[in-house]
Structure formats: C-alpha cells, structure tokens
Amino acid sequence: YKLASEGKLNLSNKMTYTRDKYYYSGSGIIKKAASGTKYTLKTLISYSILHSDNSAYIMLRDYLSAEGISNMLKDMGCANYENGKENWPKVSARDAALWWNEIYNFCREDSYGSSLYTTFVNATGNMIDKALGYEYEVAHKSGSGSGYHHDCAIVMAEEPYILALYTHNSAGGSSNYTYMSKIIKEINKIMVG
C-alpha cells in the first residue's frame, strides 16, 4: 500500500495462481482455486490479512521479492531484516512493534493507509479485541502454528498503543487463548491504567 501511495506499484496489477508454485497448506482460500486463477495485488493483500491466506502471502512475497522485503525491514530498523529473505521468517516482538509503528503512522497520514487500516480491523482471529471485551477498535494480524500463537495490533485506546504478543504453548487450542487473554488484560492495565 505504501508503494501504491508513492506511485511505485498499482494495486490492480495481477498475479496468476499456480498450484505447483503457490499452493500452501494451512489457512486461506486461494489454495482451493484452480491453477491459472488471477488475483489483483489488492485482493492478495486483503486475503493475506483477512483470512491469513498462506498462498496469498507467498504470491505477494514473490511479487515484492525477498530482497525488496529485506531492504524494507532494514530501512525500518529491524534487527532481523535478513530473515525477510525467508518464506516464513523468525520475527522478534521488537521487529513486529517496528512494523506496527510504521503501519500506525501510515494509516494516519495517507488514504491508502486508511484503507489498509480498515482491512486490519476486519481481520479474523482477533484475540486482543475479544480479551479486551471489544472496548476499543483493534487493528491486528494474528498467526499460529504448532505450539505457538501470536497477535500484533494497534489498540485504539484513548492513547493508542501497539501490542506485539508472541507465545509458545505446546498445549495449543483454548489454553493458548486463556494464557494470551490474561497477558493482554495485564498489558492493557499498564497501558491505560
């Protein structure tokens, strides 16, 4: 979205899904599509955020290039910017907070950012929103895998704050939510009093 705002990328540009190159198991809806199906960059971004679509994410990585993503992370000050070259990079909570700070500023300054922000508000799996009793608007992106769950967000409290929460809990399932919910509530008490 930032590249589109700068006139360096057109969100209407299309990519073609092919099962042999872009199929990824896990969450998402593109993996069920026929090879040859075309998607705009805007749709891929939306699917990767709203549905945690792994295939959409990999297609976007391919379009933007591993080098381009790594350079963007380096420009943001991320310590682990070289990990941006991996399909599923290891990310620190600090680096995630830097990303979300960038998103927050972009969303406040630009109409493209405003549109992106709305997509994050509507993303599925919002544990932060649920844990806080839907008291605040929360723009977020969560993810999970074997034994871990994370959720990162902009919490629009009276004084907005960024929350980057990464956990590892081999029990998974509802125990992850119970554990994270307690942490989210405690952090919110610190942040808003």
Side-chain angles (χ1 to χ4, degrees):
Y1 271 76
K2 198 164 190 182
L3 291 172
S5 173
E6 295 168 352
K8 297 176 183 175
L9 178 145
N10 186 334
L11 293 175
S12 296
N13 289 351
K14 292 184 178 180
M15 290 192 74
T16 303
Y17 170 74
T18 55
R19 288 184 63 80
D20 60 329
K21 187 171 183 180
Y22 295 122
Y23 175 87
Y24 272 82
S25 60
S27 58
I29 55 180
I30 291 179
K31 66 182 179 183
K32 298 174 186 173
S35 277
T37 303
K38 296 190 181 298
Y39 296 93
T40 65
L41 296 177
K42 185 174 183 173
T43 298
L44 293 174
I45 293 166
S46 176
Y47 283 9
S48 68
I49 295 169
L50 293 174
H51 307 293
S52 248
D53 195 303
N54 294 332
S55 293
Y57 165 75
I58 293 299
M59 291 172 75
L60 287 166
R61 283 190 54 75
D62 193 27
Y63 188 90
L64 296 170
S65 84
E67 192 69 32
I69 291 170
S70 182
N71 288 338
M72 177 191 68
L73 297 175
K74 184 178 181 180
D75 290 346
M76 277 190 230
C78 295
N80 299 312
Y81 67 89
E82 285 293 332
N83 286 337
K85 295 178 181 175
E86 300 171 22
N87 276 350
W88 307 102
K90 293 179 179 157
V91 176
S92 71
R94 179 193 176 276
D95 285 351
L98 290 171
W99 300 349
W100 281 92
N101 187 59
E102 188 79 17
I103 292 167
Y104 177 72
N105 290 329
F106 180 58
C107 292
R108 294 175 49 214
E109 299 166 354
D110 191 282
S111 62
Y112 280 92
S114 178
S115 178
L116 179 62
Y117 175 82
T118 300
T119 305
F120 280 118
V121 168
N122 293 315
T124 59
N126 196 333
M127 296 178 87
I128 295 170
D129 206 12
K130 185 176 178 183
L132 297 178
Y134 306 96
E135 184 176 351
Y136 312 110
E137 183 173 76
V138 176
H140 89 111
K141 177 67 183 86
S142 64
S144 62
S146 302
Y148 70 87
H149 191 95
H150 56 269
D151 206 342
C152 299
I154 302 165
V155 179
M156 295 303 290
E158 187 174 326
E159 296 222 11
Y161 65 91
I162 293 168
L163 175 59
L165 183 61
Y166 287 72
T167 67
H168 185 273
N169 180 348
S170 60
S174 63
S175 63
N176 266 346
Y177 172 72
T178 301
Y179 176 68
M180 287 183 70
S181 181
K182 289 177 186 175
I183 293 171
I184 292 163
K185 288 175 184 176
E186 288 301 315
I187 291 171
N188 191 62
K189 283 181 192 173
I190 293 167
M191 297 305 294
V192 301

PDB file of all heavy atoms in Angstrom, residues 140-174:
ATOM      1  N   HIS A 140      -5.409  -5.558  13.747  1.00  0.00           N
ATOM      2  CA  HIS A 140      -4.479  -6.607  14.151  1.00  0.00           C
ATOM      3  C   HIS A 140      -4.201  -7.602  13.034  1.00  0.00           C
ATOM      4  O   HIS A 140      -4.888  -7.638  12.010  1.00  0.00           O
ATOM      5  CB  HIS A 140      -5.059  -7.369  15.357  1.00  0.00           C
ATOM      6  CG  HIS A 140      -5.918  -8.507  14.904  1.00  0.00           C
ATOM      7  ND1 HIS A 140      -5.551  -9.816  15.077  1.00  0.00           N
ATOM      8  CD2 HIS A 140      -7.081  -8.542  14.221  1.00  0.00           C
ATOM      9  CE1 HIS A 140      -6.474 -10.595  14.537  1.00  0.00           C
ATOM     10  NE2 HIS A 140      -7.411  -9.849  14.037  1.00  0.00           N
ATOM     11  N   LYS A 141      -3.221  -8.440  13.299  1.00  0.00           N
ATOM     12  CA  LYS A 141      -2.954  -9.628  12.487  1.00  0.00           C
ATOM     13  C   LYS A 141      -2.427 -10.690  13.424  1.00  0.00           C
ATOM     14  O   LYS A 141      -1.472 -10.482  14.148  1.00  0.00           O
ATOM     15  CB  LYS A 141      -1.918  -9.323  11.395  1.00  0.00           C
ATOM     16  CG  LYS A 141      -1.536 -10.539  10.567  1.00  0.00           C
ATOM     17  CD  LYS A 141      -2.708 -11.028   9.733  1.00  0.00           C
ATOM     18  CE  LYS A 141      -2.388 -12.282   8.953  1.00  0.00           C
ATOM     19  NZ  LYS A 141      -2.585 -13.511   9.706  1.00  0.00           N
ATOM     20  N   SER A 142      -3.110 -11.832  13.417  1.00  0.00           N
ATOM     21  CA  SER A 142      -2.679 -12.946  14.253  1.00  0.00           C
ATOM     22  C   SER A 142      -2.140 -14.061  13.375  1.00  0.00           C
ATOM     23  O   SER A 142      -2.309 -14.062  12.162  1.00  0.00           O
ATOM     24  CB  SER A 142      -3.853 -13.472  15.099  1.00  0.00           C
ATOM     25  OG  SER A 142      -4.862 -14.003  14.247  1.00  0.00           O
ATOM     26  N   GLY A 143      -1.489 -14.999  13.999  1.00  0.00           N
ATOM     27  CA  GLY A 143      -0.984 -16.170  13.304  1.00  0.00           C
ATOM     28  C   GLY A 143      -0.731 -17.274  14.308  1.00  0.00           C
ATOM     29  O   GLY A 143      -0.581 -17.017  15.508  1.00  0.00           O
ATOM     30  N   SER A 144      -0.712 -18.488  13.815  1.00  0.00           N
ATOM     31  CA  SER A 144      -0.467 -19.608  14.712  1.00  0.00           C
ATOM     32  C   SER A 144       0.153 -20.766  13.946  1.00  0.00           C
ATOM     33  O   SER A 144       0.138 -20.803  12.716  1.00  0.00           O
ATOM     34  CB  SER A 144      -1.773 -20.054  15.379  1.00  0.00           C
ATOM     35  OG  SER A 144      -2.690 -20.494  14.397  1.00  0.00           O
ATOM     36  N   GLY A 145       0.687 -21.689  14.690  1.00  0.00           N
ATOM     37  CA  GLY A 145       1.289 -22.895  14.138  1.00  0.00           C
ATOM     38  C   GLY A 145       1.430 -23.893  15.247  1.00  0.00           C
ATOM     39  O   GLY A 145       0.825 -23.753  16.309  1.00  0.00           O
ATOM     40  N   SER A 146       2.248 -24.886  15.034  1.00  0.00           N
ATOM     41  CA  SER A 146       2.435 -25.940  16.030  1.00  0.00           C
ATOM     42  C   SER A 146       3.020 -25.361  17.315  1.00  0.00           C
ATOM     43  O   SER A 146       4.195 -25.014  17.364  1.00  0.00           O
ATOM     44  CB  SER A 146       3.356 -27.021  15.486  1.00  0.00           C
ATOM     45  OG  SER A 146       2.825 -27.558  14.303  1.00  0.00           O
ATOM     46  N   GLY A 147       2.203 -25.249  18.322  1.00  0.00           N
ATOM     47  CA  GLY A 147       2.679 -24.834  19.633  1.00  0.00           C
ATOM     48  C   GLY A 147       2.894 -23.351  19.844  1.00  0.00           C
ATOM     49  O   GLY A 147       3.432 -22.956  20.855  1.00  0.00           O
ATOM     50  N   TYR A 148       2.491 -22.524  18.923  1.00  0.00           N
ATOM     51  CA  TYR A 148       2.644 -21.093  19.168  1.00  0.00           C
ATOM     52  C   TYR A 148       1.452 -20.329  18.612  1.00  0.00           C
ATOM     53  O   TYR A 148       0.715 -20.814  17.765  1.00  0.00           O
ATOM     54  CB  TYR A 148       3.936 -20.544  18.547  1.00  0.00           C
ATOM     55  CG  TYR A 148       3.933 -20.503  17.045  1.00  0.00           C
ATOM     56  CD1 TYR A 148       3.421 -19.407  16.364  1.00  0.00           C
ATOM     57  CD2 TYR A 148       4.416 -21.567  16.295  1.00  0.00           C
ATOM     58  CE1 TYR A 148       3.391 -19.366  14.980  1.00  0.00           C
ATOM     59  CE2 TYR A 148       4.398 -21.535  14.906  1.00  0.00           C
ATOM     60  CZ  TYR A 148       3.876 -20.440  14.255  1.00  0.00           C
ATOM     61  OH  TYR A 148       3.840 -20.396  12.894  1.00  0.00           O
ATOM     62  N   HIS A 149       1.284 -19.149  19.143  1.00  0.00           N
ATOM     63  CA  HIS A 149       0.259 -18.243  18.639  1.00  0.00           C
ATOM     64  C   HIS A 149       0.762 -16.827  18.873  1.00  0.00           C
ATOM     65  O   HIS A 149       1.402 -16.558  19.873  1.00  0.00           O
ATOM     66  CB  HIS A 149      -1.073 -18.430  19.368  1.00  0.00           C
ATOM     67  CG  HIS A 149      -2.174 -17.692  18.674  1.00  0.00           C
ATOM     68  ND1 HIS A 149      -2.996 -18.289  17.762  1.00  0.00           N
ATOM     69  CD2 HIS A 149      -2.551 -16.403  18.724  1.00  0.00           C
ATOM     70  CE1 HIS A 149      -3.850 -17.380  17.287  1.00  0.00           C
ATOM     71  NE2 HIS A 149      -3.591 -16.233  17.867  1.00  0.00           N
ATOM     72  N   HIS A 150       0.472 -15.957  17.924  1.00  0.00           N
ATOM     73  CA  HIS A 150       0.842 -14.562  18.132  1.00  0.00           C
ATOM     74  C   HIS A 150      -0.266 -13.664  17.622  1.00  0.00           C
ATOM     75  O   HIS A 150      -1.095 -14.065  16.806  1.00  0.00           O
ATOM     76  CB  HIS A 150       2.187 -14.221  17.471  1.00  0.00           C
ATOM     77  CG  HIS A 150       2.241 -14.527  16.013  1.00  0.00           C
ATOM     78  ND1 HIS A 150       2.676 -15.739  15.536  1.00  0.00           N
ATOM     79  CD2 HIS A 150       1.906 -13.793  14.932  1.00  0.00           C
ATOM     80  CE1 HIS A 150       2.613 -15.729  14.217  1.00  0.00           C
ATOM     81  NE2 HIS A 150       2.148 -14.563  13.824  1.00  0.00           N
ATOM     82  N   ASP A 151      -0.291 -12.472  18.159  1.00  0.00           N
ATOM     83  CA  ASP A 151      -1.229 -11.457  17.705  1.00  0.00           C
ATOM     84  C   ASP A 151      -0.552 -10.115  17.936  1.00  0.00           C
ATOM     85  O   ASP A 151       0.000  -9.871  19.001  1.00  0.00           O
ATOM     86  CB  ASP A 151      -2.553 -11.531  18.488  1.00  0.00           C
ATOM     87  CG  ASP A 151      -3.742 -10.997  17.706  1.00  0.00           C
ATOM     88  OD1 ASP A 151      -3.518 -10.265  16.717  1.00  0.00           O
ATOM     89  OD2 ASP A 151      -4.879 -11.294  18.086  1.00  0.00           O
ATOM     90  N   CYS A 152      -0.556  -9.300  16.906  1.00  0.00           N
ATOM     91  CA  CYS A 152       0.045  -7.970  16.980  1.00  0.00           C
ATOM     92  C   CYS A 152      -1.007  -6.966  16.572  1.00  0.00           C
ATOM     93  O   CYS A 152      -1.817  -7.248  15.683  1.00  0.00           O
ATOM     94  CB  CYS A 152       1.240  -7.869  16.057  1.00  0.00           C
ATOM     95  SG  CYS A 152       2.556  -9.037  16.448  1.00  0.00           S
ATOM     96  N   ALA A 153      -1.010  -5.795  17.212  1.00  0.00           N
ATOM     97  CA  ALA A 153      -2.120  -4.879  16.969  1.00  0.00           C
ATOM     98  C   ALA A 153      -1.806  -3.448  17.325  1.00  0.00           C
ATOM     99  O   ALA A 153      -0.868  -3.153  18.067  1.00  0.00           O
ATOM    100  CB  ALA A 153      -3.328  -5.334  17.797  1.00  0.00           C
ATOM    101  N   ILE A 154      -2.676  -2.594  16.793  1.00  0.00           N
ATOM    102  CA  ILE A 154      -2.802  -1.221  17.248  1.00  0.00           C
ATOM    103  C   ILE A 154      -4.098  -1.200  18.045  1.00  0.00           C
ATOM    104  O   ILE A 154      -5.165  -1.507  17.514  1.00  0.00           O
ATOM    105  CB  ILE A 154      -2.909  -0.232  16.070  1.00  0.00           C
ATOM    106  CG1 ILE A 154      -1.698  -0.344  15.151  1.00  0.00           C
ATOM    107  CG2 ILE A 154      -3.100   1.191  16.594  1.00  0.00           C
ATOM    108  CD1 ILE A 154      -1.892   0.320  13.800  1.00  0.00           C
ATOM    109  N   VAL A 155      -4.002  -0.899  19.326  1.00  0.00           N
ATOM    110  CA  VAL A 155      -5.177  -0.819  20.185  1.00  0.00           C
ATOM    111  C   VAL A 155      -5.545   0.659  20.298  1.00  0.00           C
ATOM    112  O   VAL A 155      -4.772   1.466  20.813  1.00  0.00           O
ATOM    113  CB  VAL A 155      -4.905  -1.427  21.578  1.00  0.00           C
ATOM    114  CG1 VAL A 155      -6.134  -1.313  22.477  1.00  0.00           C
ATOM    115  CG2 VAL A 155      -4.464  -2.887  21.447  1.00  0.00           C
ATOM    116  N   MET A 156      -6.727   0.994  19.814  1.00  0.00           N
ATOM    117  CA  MET A 156      -7.142   2.399  19.759  1.00  0.00           C
ATOM    118  C   MET A 156      -7.805   2.826  21.071  1.00  0.00           C
ATOM    119  O   MET A 156      -8.969   3.222  21.111  1.00  0.00           O
ATOM    120  CB  MET A 156      -8.065   2.624  18.562  1.00  0.00           C
ATOM    121  CG  MET A 156      -7.378   2.403  17.222  1.00  0.00           C
ATOM    122  SD  MET A 156      -5.924   3.425  16.953  1.00  0.00           S
ATOM    123  CE  MET A 156      -6.686   5.022  16.755  1.00  0.00           C
ATOM    124  N   ALA A 157      -7.026   2.742  22.140  1.00  0.00           N
ATOM    125  CA  ALA A 157      -7.463   3.254  23.441  1.00  0.00           C
ATOM    126  C   ALA A 157      -7.426   4.784  23.355  1.00  0.00           C
ATOM    127  O   ALA A 157      -7.073   5.349  22.322  1.00  0.00           O
ATOM    128  CB  ALA A 157      -6.535   2.744  24.533  1.00  0.00           C
ATOM    129  N   GLU A 158      -7.773   5.458  24.452  1.00  0.00           N
ATOM    130  CA  GLU A 158      -7.713   6.925  24.433  1.00  0.00           C
ATOM    131  C   GLU A 158      -6.342   7.395  23.964  1.00  0.00           C
ATOM    132  O   GLU A 158      -6.220   8.333  23.201  1.00  0.00           O
ATOM    133  CB  GLU A 158      -8.033   7.485  25.828  1.00  0.00           C
ATOM    134  CG  GLU A 158      -8.144   8.983  25.843  1.00  0.00           C
ATOM    135  CD  GLU A 158      -8.597   9.517  27.186  1.00  0.00           C
ATOM    136  OE1 GLU A 158      -9.394   8.857  27.863  1.00  0.00           O
ATOM    137  OE2 GLU A 158      -8.141  10.624  27.538  1.00  0.00           O
ATOM    138  N   GLU A 159      -5.298   6.733  24.437  1.00  0.00           N
ATOM    139  CA  GLU A 159      -3.946   6.928  23.913  1.00  0.00           C
ATOM    140  C   GLU A 159      -3.579   5.603  23.255  1.00  0.00           C
ATOM    141  O   GLU A 159      -3.276   4.621  23.941  1.00  0.00           O
ATOM    142  CB  GLU A 159      -2.977   7.265  25.043  1.00  0.00           C
ATOM    143  CG  GLU A 159      -3.313   8.577  25.707  1.00  0.00           C
ATOM    144  CD  GLU A 159      -2.084   9.404  26.008  1.00  0.00           C
ATOM    145  OE1 GLU A 159      -0.990   9.065  25.531  1.00  0.00           O
ATOM    146  OE2 GLU A 159      -2.257  10.405  26.709  1.00  0.00           O
ATOM    147  N   PRO A 160      -3.655   5.533  21.922  1.00  0.00           N
ATOM    148  CA  PRO A 160      -3.408   4.272  21.224  1.00  0.00           C
ATOM    149  C   PRO A 160      -2.037   3.687  21.561  1.00  0.00           C
ATOM    150  O   PRO A 160      -1.082   4.422  21.828  1.00  0.00           O
ATOM    151  CB  PRO A 160      -3.489   4.656  19.743  1.00  0.00           C
ATOM    152  CG  PRO A 160      -4.318   5.888  19.718  1.00  0.00           C
ATOM    153  CD  PRO A 160      -3.983   6.618  20.997  1.00  0.00           C
ATOM    154  N   TYR A 161      -1.975   2.355  21.551  1.00  0.00           N
ATOM    155  CA  TYR A 161      -0.701   1.687  21.775  1.00  0.00           C
ATOM    156  C   TYR A 161      -0.588   0.469  20.867  1.00  0.00           C
ATOM    157  O   TYR A 161      -1.572  -0.032  20.345  1.00  0.00           O
ATOM    158  CB  TYR A 161      -0.500   1.318  23.250  1.00  0.00           C
ATOM    159  CG  TYR A 161      -1.471   0.301  23.807  1.00  0.00           C
ATOM    160  CD1 TYR A 161      -1.183  -1.067  23.771  1.00  0.00           C
ATOM    161  CD2 TYR A 161      -2.663   0.705  24.414  1.00  0.00           C
ATOM    162  CE1 TYR A 161      -2.062  -1.995  24.309  1.00  0.00           C
ATOM    163  CE2 TYR A 161      -3.538  -0.216  24.952  1.00  0.00           C
ATOM    164  CZ  TYR A 161      -3.237  -1.573  24.900  1.00  0.00           C
ATOM    165  OH  TYR A 161      -4.105  -2.490  25.432  1.00  0.00           O
ATOM    166  N   ILE A 162       0.657   0.046  20.675  1.00  0.00           N
ATOM    167  CA  ILE A 162       0.957  -1.123  19.851  1.00  0.00           C
ATOM    168  C   ILE A 162       1.237  -2.286  20.778  1.00  0.00           C
ATOM    169  O   ILE A 162       1.965  -2.149  21.771  1.00  0.00           O
ATOM    170  CB  ILE A 162       2.172  -0.836  18.943  1.00  0.00           C
ATOM    171  CG1 ILE A 162       1.795   0.241  17.928  1.00  0.00           C
ATOM    172  CG2 ILE A 162       2.652  -2.114  18.259  1.00  0.00           C
ATOM    173  CD1 ILE A 162       2.966   0.804  17.169  1.00  0.00           C
ATOM    174  N   LEU A 163       0.672  -3.422  20.444  1.00  0.00           N
ATOM    175  CA  LEU A 163       0.865  -4.632  21.234  1.00  0.00           C
ATOM    176  C   LEU A 163       1.383  -5.727  20.305  1.00  0.00           C
ATOM    177  O   LEU A 163       0.755  -6.030  19.295  1.00  0.00           O
ATOM    178  CB  LEU A 163      -0.459  -5.067  21.863  1.00  0.00           C
ATOM    179  CG  LEU A 163      -0.497  -6.374  22.626  1.00  0.00           C
ATOM    180  CD1 LEU A 163       0.496  -6.369  23.778  1.00  0.00           C
ATOM    181  CD2 LEU A 163      -1.894  -6.640  23.154  1.00  0.00           C
ATOM    182  N   ALA A 164       2.553  -6.266  20.614  1.00  0.00           N
ATOM    183  CA  ALA A 164       3.121  -7.384  19.861  1.00  0.00           C
ATOM    184  C   ALA A 164       3.300  -8.533  20.839  1.00  0.00           C
ATOM    185  O   ALA A 164       4.141  -8.470  21.733  1.00  0.00           O
ATOM    186  CB  ALA A 164       4.446  -6.992  19.232  1.00  0.00           C
ATOM    187  N   LEU A 165       2.491  -9.550  20.683  1.00  0.00           N
ATOM    188  CA  LEU A 165       2.453 -10.655  21.640  1.00  0.00           C
ATOM    189  C   LEU A 165       2.778 -11.964  20.930  1.00  0.00           C
ATOM    190  O   LEU A 165       2.081 -12.367  19.997  1.00  0.00           O
ATOM    191  CB  LEU A 165       1.062 -10.728  22.275  1.00  0.00           C
ATOM    192  CG  LEU A 165       0.823 -11.756  23.346  1.00  0.00           C
ATOM    193  CD1 LEU A 165       1.739 -11.519  24.548  1.00  0.00           C
ATOM    194  CD2 LEU A 165      -0.626 -11.710  23.807  1.00  0.00           C
ATOM    195  N   TYR A 166       3.851 -12.599  21.367  1.00  0.00           N
ATOM    196  CA  TYR A 166       4.270 -13.891  20.837  1.00  0.00           C
ATOM    197  C   TYR A 166       4.299 -14.890  21.983  1.00  0.00           C
ATOM    198  O   TYR A 166       4.824 -14.583  23.056  1.00  0.00           O
ATOM    199  CB  TYR A 166       5.670 -13.774  20.230  1.00  0.00           C
ATOM    200  CG  TYR A 166       5.691 -13.025  18.917  1.00  0.00           C
ATOM    201  CD1 TYR A 166       5.506 -11.651  18.869  1.00  0.00           C
ATOM    202  CD2 TYR A 166       5.886 -13.717  17.733  1.00  0.00           C
ATOM    203  CE1 TYR A 166       5.521 -10.969  17.671  1.00  0.00           C
ATOM    204  CE2 TYR A 166       5.900 -13.041  16.524  1.00  0.00           C
ATOM    205  CZ  TYR A 166       5.715 -11.670  16.497  1.00  0.00           C
ATOM    206  OH  TYR A 166       5.718 -11.003  15.308  1.00  0.00           O
ATOM    207  N   THR A 167       3.753 -16.062  21.760  1.00  0.00           N
ATOM    208  CA  THR A 167       3.749 -17.072  22.812  1.00  0.00           C
ATOM    209  C   THR A 167       4.181 -18.417  22.251  1.00  0.00           C
ATOM    210  O   THR A 167       4.128 -18.654  21.050  1.00  0.00           O
ATOM    211  CB  THR A 167       2.346 -17.264  23.426  1.00  0.00           C
ATOM    212  OG1 THR A 167       1.483 -17.830  22.445  1.00  0.00           O
ATOM    213  CG2 THR A 167       1.772 -15.969  23.937  1.00  0.00           C
ATOM    214  N   HIS A 168       4.575 -19.290  23.137  1.00  0.00           N
ATOM    215  CA  HIS A 168       4.803 -20.685  22.790  1.00  0.00           C
ATOM    216  C   HIS A 168       4.137 -21.516  23.874  1.00  0.00           C
ATOM    217  O   HIS A 168       4.451 -21.392  25.047  1.00  0.00           O
ATOM    218  CB  HIS A 168       6.291 -21.026  22.707  1.00  0.00           C
ATOM    219  CG  HIS A 168       6.512 -22.421  22.236  1.00  0.00           C
ATOM    220  ND1 HIS A 168       6.541 -23.493  23.075  1.00  0.00           N
ATOM    221  CD2 HIS A 168       6.651 -22.909  20.984  1.00  0.00           C
ATOM    222  CE1 HIS A 168       6.717 -24.595  22.375  1.00  0.00           C
ATOM    223  NE2 HIS A 168       6.787 -24.266  21.103  1.00  0.00           N
ATOM    224  N   ASN A 169       3.194 -22.308  23.466  1.00  0.00           N
ATOM    225  CA  ASN A 169       2.447 -23.135  24.417  1.00  0.00           C
ATOM    226  C   ASN A 169       2.116 -24.431  23.701  1.00  0.00           C
ATOM    227  O   ASN A 169       1.237 -24.471  22.850  1.00  0.00           O
ATOM    228  CB  ASN A 169       1.171 -22.408  24.852  1.00  0.00           C
ATOM    229  CG  ASN A 169       0.357 -23.218  25.831  1.00  0.00           C
ATOM    230  OD1 ASN A 169       0.602 -24.401  26.034  1.00  0.00           O
ATOM    231  ND2 ASN A 169      -0.629 -22.592  26.436  1.00  0.00           N
ATOM    232  N   SER A 170       2.814 -25.493  24.040  1.00  0.00           N
ATOM    233  CA  SER A 170       2.648 -26.742  23.307  1.00  0.00           C
ATOM    234  C   SER A 170       1.256 -27.339  23.451  1.00  0.00           C
ATOM    235  O   SER A 170       0.855 -28.183  22.673  1.00  0.00           O
ATOM    236  CB  SER A 170       3.708 -27.760  23.741  1.00  0.00           C
ATOM    237  OG  SER A 170       3.588 -28.014  25.128  1.00  0.00           O
ATOM    238  N   ALA A 171       0.490 -26.897  24.462  1.00  0.00           N
ATOM    239  CA  ALA A 171      -0.865 -27.425  24.633  1.00  0.00           C
ATOM    240  C   ALA A 171      -1.789 -26.931  23.522  1.00  0.00           C
ATOM    241  O   ALA A 171      -2.697 -27.624  23.101  1.00  0.00           O
ATOM    242  CB  ALA A 171      -1.421 -27.020  25.998  1.00  0.00           C
ATOM    243  N   GLY A 172      -1.554 -25.701  23.032  1.00  0.00           N
ATOM    244  CA  GLY A 172      -2.348 -25.163  21.922  1.00  0.00           C
ATOM    245  C   GLY A 172      -3.805 -24.944  22.273  1.00  0.00           C
ATOM    246  O   GLY A 172      -4.206 -24.956  23.432  1.00  0.00           O
ATOM    247  N   GLY A 173      -4.618 -24.749  21.234  1.00  0.00           N
ATOM    248  CA  GLY A 173      -6.071 -24.619  21.372  1.00  0.00           C
ATOM    249  C   GLY A 173      -6.500 -23.550  22.342  1.00  0.00           C
ATOM    250  O   GLY A 173      -5.945 -22.464  22.402  1.00  0.00           O
ATOM    251  N   SER A 174      -7.529 -23.881  23.142  1.00  0.00           N
ATOM    252  CA  SER A 174      -8.121 -22.900  24.054  1.00  0.00           C
ATOM    253  C   SER A 174      -7.156 -22.479  25.152  1.00  0.00           C
ATOM    254  O   SER A 174      -7.269 -21.389  25.691  1.00  0.00           O
ATOM    255  CB  SER A 174      -9.415 -23.459  24.659  1.00  0.00           C
ATOM    256  OG  SER A 174      -9.137 -24.598  25.431  1.00  0.00           O
TER     257      SER A 174
END
